[in-house]
Amino acid sequence: MGRVALPAGLLIALIGTLAAFVPLVSGLALLGIVAWFSLPGVLLGWYLYRGRPGGWTAALLAGPAWGYVLSSLVLLGLWALGIRSFQTLMLAPLPGIVLAWPARALAANLTPPEFTRKDLVAVALVLLAVLAIVARPYSQVGVDLPEGRAYRAYFTADFVWAMAVTAEVSKGDMPPRNPYYLNDALHYYWLMHLLPAVEHRAAGGSLRLEQILLVNGLWASLMFGGFFYFFLRHFVDRPWAAGLAAVGVLFCSSFEGAERWWWTGATLDQLRSVNIDAVGNWFYQGMKIDGLHRALFWQPQHLVGYLLGFSALLLLVEARDTAKAGLLFLVGVFLSLSMLLSSPAVAMLAAVAAAYQAIRLIQARAWKAFVPCAIAAAIPVGAALLLGTVLQYVDTRSPGNPLVTFGVNSLATHRVWMTMFLNFGPVAIVSVLGVLAAAWRGSLGRFVPVFITILVSAAFYTLVDVPDHGGVYLAWRAQRPQPV
């Protein structure tokens, strides 16, 4: 009964969530578009995992985000050529399907987790948890007042900014213009906003821009939930344990809200004016650290960017032989796609993948493979850097602070243990117990990729800064993935 009830409940919850903020027929149509754009990645996943137990399940968990970005990259090419016809632009996934075909050659080298029907129940539970988190906030975005459409102040930094970027991209300029400065390009990684911009341009006044963005954000959150479970199953054998771990992190990643409620006795009504995600910074002057909820609510570009970067790492985890240049080329493709969606994340995730790859090659004594593998991975990453330059993602002409600085960030080291405990307490406690259990079973080596991720994140958190953003930008993103 559970195998039927949970998927049925998931479908009902999805329909109810959609109906809360968009006309249901329009919402289903928009979901159909993003599902169509996700198809190349699902096929890519099938090419990689075909012949394995539960290969289709693996493809459906990992592939949608891959396909969305591959299709968006083709969409970008059509957009750059001046094509603005909605019908023509909707053909973008077709070349993406063709691009996924060569990955078939890598299948024999990959060993993903084996998925069974029990995994379907666990995945449904994780996706229900995602809907439970995002449904209410999505339904409360914006309210009509006599003075016009009003939004809560917190949304200004994220969702209203996304609306401004999408509206600007929809005008069709290449590259998009900066809406706040004359004679300037939009210096922002806006690829995630291109499909919503196309939809907004086609919808005219029949749908609010915020409704289009919320449907795309809902799809991104569900993609993340499925991939999060896929990620965990590489390190956790039992579906029920992976499902509970994912749900636990999604619901209980931080003690910040509990600290305000229990330690200070604040009421829930009083907490409405508190940014719960910044308690460690507001009240303890520690580093701001983004939680997963902020990404689930308002930052799909970062959510999918991390997802793609971790996909690169998982390819190396799955590979029996990491000395294959073709494998590293696909690793580089995932990292390059991550760069085009969320530029700050890829530096960390590339460092994680490079460190783990070096360990695997050293263990195999494959010394001659270092250079060919590095070149293979660097080719797509270099292409993404070039594309980002052409699109003017980064403002390199304005005088002032350097783009990146290296050295100890004083904010990151202030009351660091209190800040870490508030931001990661629930996850850290369970993780320590998990590490002890792994040590007792003699399986610590299995978690080397996770340990590398933590070390690299800690290094970026402490030693790398983007000074133009008040000393917090890379540090707060360095701790968001919470992969343990």
Side-chain angles (χ1 to χ4, degrees):
M1 295 241 352
R3 292 176 182 174
V4 176
L6 271 176
L10 176 62
L11 179 61
I12 293 170
L14 176 60
I15 292 174
T17 301
L18 273 178
F21 62 82
V22 65
L24 185 56
V25 173
S26 299
L28 291 174
L30 290 170
L31 274 184
I33 291 174
V34 291
W36 164 238
F37 267 62
S38 301
L39 181 59
V42 175
L43 292 178
L44 172 59
W46 170 241
Y47 294 149
L48 292 175
Y49 304 133
R50 73 187 194 282
R52 304 294 179 186
W56 268 118
T57 301
L60 289 170
L61 291 176
W66 304 348
Y68 183 93
V69 186
L70 282 172
S71 298
S72 295
L73 197 59
V74 177
L75 182 66
L76 175 64
L78 297 174
W79 194 256
L81 291 173
I83 297 173
R84 299 294 180 265
S85 165
F86 181 76
Q87 291 76 12
T88 304
L89 293 172
M90 288 300 100
L91 299 177
L94 294 178
I97 293 173
V98 176
L99 291 172
W101 178 260
R104 297 169 69 253
L106 301 176
N109 189 32
L110 300 178
T111 306
E114 296 185 2
F115 293 95
T116 67
R117 290 182 179 180
K118 293 180 180 179
D119 287 285
L120 300 180
V121 176
V123 169
L125 182 65
V126 174
L127 297 183
L128 276 170
V130 171
L131 291 176
I133 290 168
V134 304
R136 177 67 175 171
Y138 278 16
S139 70
Q140 298 298 305
V141 172
V143 61
D144 288 315
L145 299 176
E147 298 83 2
R149 190 75 172 165
Y151 301 89
R152 291 184 181 273
Y154 180 70
F155 298 152
T156 302
D158 292 317
F159 191 71
V160 175
W161 166 249
M163 291 173 64
V165 170
T166 306
E168 195 63 37
V169 173
S170 72
K171 296 176 183 177
D173 295 323
M174 273 297 293
R177 309 308 301 162
N178 190 328
Y180 302 107
Y181 291 94
L182 290 174
N183 304 317
D184 192 24
L186 177 62
H187 304 297
Y188 190 71
Y189 30 88
W190 48 267
L191 182 61
M192 188 74 186
H193 299 80
L194 181 55
L195 178 58
V198 171
E199 294 168 329
H200 175 55
R201 186 183 179 97
S206 62
L207 282 174
R208 295 182 191 271
L209 174 56
E210 68 186 48
Q211 292 172 322
I212 295 171
L213 287 172
L214 287 172
V215 172
N216 281 269
L218 176 63
W219 182 253
S221 296
L222 291 172
M223 286 192 296
F224 176 80
F227 180 83
F228 192 17
Y229 180 84
F230 178 73
F231 178 91
L232 289 172
R233 283 287 276 110
H234 285 74
F235 308 98
V236 180
D237 291 329
R238 293 178 175 82
W240 65 266
L244 289 178
V247 172
V249 171
L250 287 170
F251 276 121
C252 308
S253 62
S254 166
F255 277 143
E256 290 178 289
E259 187 273 345
R260 288 291 92 189
W261 176 67
W262 179 76
W263 186 257
T264 68
T267 65
L268 291 179
D269 188 62
Q270 291 171 328
L271 292 178
R272 291 178 182 273
S273 61
V274 176
N275 181 354
I276 296 298
D277 210 21
V279 166
N281 176 257
W282 281 19
F283 301 101
Y284 297 95
Q285 295 74 53
M287 175 62 71
K288 295 178 182 178
I289 299 177
D290 260 2
L292 283 177
H293 286 192
R294 183 179 177 188
L296 289 169
F297 292 154
W298 320 123
Q299 297 184 330
Q301 71 275 24
H302 297 307
L303 204 62
V304 180
Y306 281 116
L307 190 160
L308 288 161
F310 277 116
S311 296
L313 177 63
L314 289 185
L315 278 179
L316 299 175
V317 172
E318 296 165 354
R320 290 190 289 272
D321 180 4
T322 61
K324 304 291 187 181
L327 174 73
L328 269 295
F329 181 81
L330 185 56
V331 168
V333 167
F334 282 142
L335 291 173
S336 65
L337 295 177
S338 176
M339 180 185 300
L340 294 173
L341 282 189
S342 179
S343 303
V346 75
M348 294 176 277
L349 294 168
V352 171
Y356 182 67
Q357 169 69 353
I359 291 173
R360 290 289 303 273
L361 291 180
I362 291 171
Q363 288 176 333
R365 299 183 182 277
W367 313 112
K368 294 181 179 180
F370 270 88
V371 173
C373 287
I375 293 174
I379 289 173
V381 172
L385 280 170
L386 178 61
L387 180 58
T389 302
V390 172
L391 296 176
Q392 301 184 47
Y393 269 13
V394 179
D395 184 2
T396 59
R397 296 178 300 172
S398 299
N401 290 328
L403 184 61
V404 177
T405 59
F406 299 93
V408 176
N409 186 333
S410 59
L411 186 60
T413 57
H414 186 260
R415 306 193 74 168
V416 62
W417 295 114
M418 174 63 77
T419 302
M420 289 295 175
F421 181 74
L422 287 175
N423 281 278
F424 302 109
V427 178
I429 291 170
V430 176
S431 297
V432 169
L433 295 176
V435 168
L436 293 176
W440 180 71
R441 296 179 62 183
S443 59
L444 274 180
R446 186 176 185 180
F447 296 91
V448 167
V450 178
F451 297 146
I452 293 173
T453 301
I454 295 171
L455 290 173
V456 171
S457 297
F460 273 83
Y461 176 84
T462 309
L463 302 173
V464 184
D465 187 22
V466 178
D468 233 9
H469 290 74
V472 303
Y473 194 75
L474 274 185
W476 88 48
R477 301 205 187 287
Q479 298 298 330
R480 176 187 279 154
Q482 305 183 37
V484 190

